[in-house]
Amino acid sequence: MSERIISADSHTIEPQDLWLKALGRKYGDETPRVVDGHGGQPGLFFYTGKQYARFKEQDQKTADAGTPEAGRDPAARVEFQKKAGLEAEVLYPTLGLSILHSS
């Protein structure tokens, strides 16, 4: 029997307009979204629906460079899993993690 490898801490990178497209009509100004600048400060911020969080430096670099295909395309993710020898993954959001911290 071959070894089965399951990644328990993988991430997907949501499109920046995911929540606005899906929930914008219902929640209006409280819809989570990425905004360019906040409070007179330049840069990207993630608005959780209640508060603003500045993109971490690494998040900004990722946003500027473009998202790796396997982070946002299901077919590319499956190919990545095959190459990495992964049988399955537990996927967590990247931007959406901020929503869990707002209260």
Side-chain angles (χ1 to χ4, degrees):
M1 183 164 109
S2 65
E3 192 172 290
R4 297 172 63 189
I5 300 174
I6 299 172
S7 171
D9 189 17
S10 296
H11 290 263
T12 185
I13 302 172
E14 311 93 292
Q16 292 184 1
D17 62 355
L18 174 71
W19 299 276
L20 201 54
K21 281 185 174 180
L23 304 171
R25 293 187 121 176
K26 183 174 182 177
Y27 294 101
D29 288 341
E30 292 194 3
T31 304
R33 63 186 170 276
V34 174
V35 296
D36 189 9
H38 169 66
Q41 297 179 30
L44 292 179
F45 291 79
F46 184 67
Y47 175 62
T48 67
K50 296 181 188 247
Q51 62 189 18
Y52 291 84
R54 182 183 284 282
F55 269 47
K56 295 179 195 160
E57 184 178 334
Q58 186 57 44
D59 293 337
Q60 182 70 50
K61 288 179 184 177
T62 300
D64 290 344
T67 304
E69 287 295 314
R72 59 184 162 86
D73 179 341
R77 190 63 175 218
V78 170
E79 286 305 311
F80 166 80
Q81 289 173 332
K82 288 177 185 175
K83 289 178 185 173
L86 298 173
E87 184 168 328
E89 293 181 281
V90 177
L91 292 173
Y92 295 95
T94 298
L95 295 172
L97 286 174
S98 299
I99 295 172
L100 299 174
H101 295 288
S102 65
S103 52

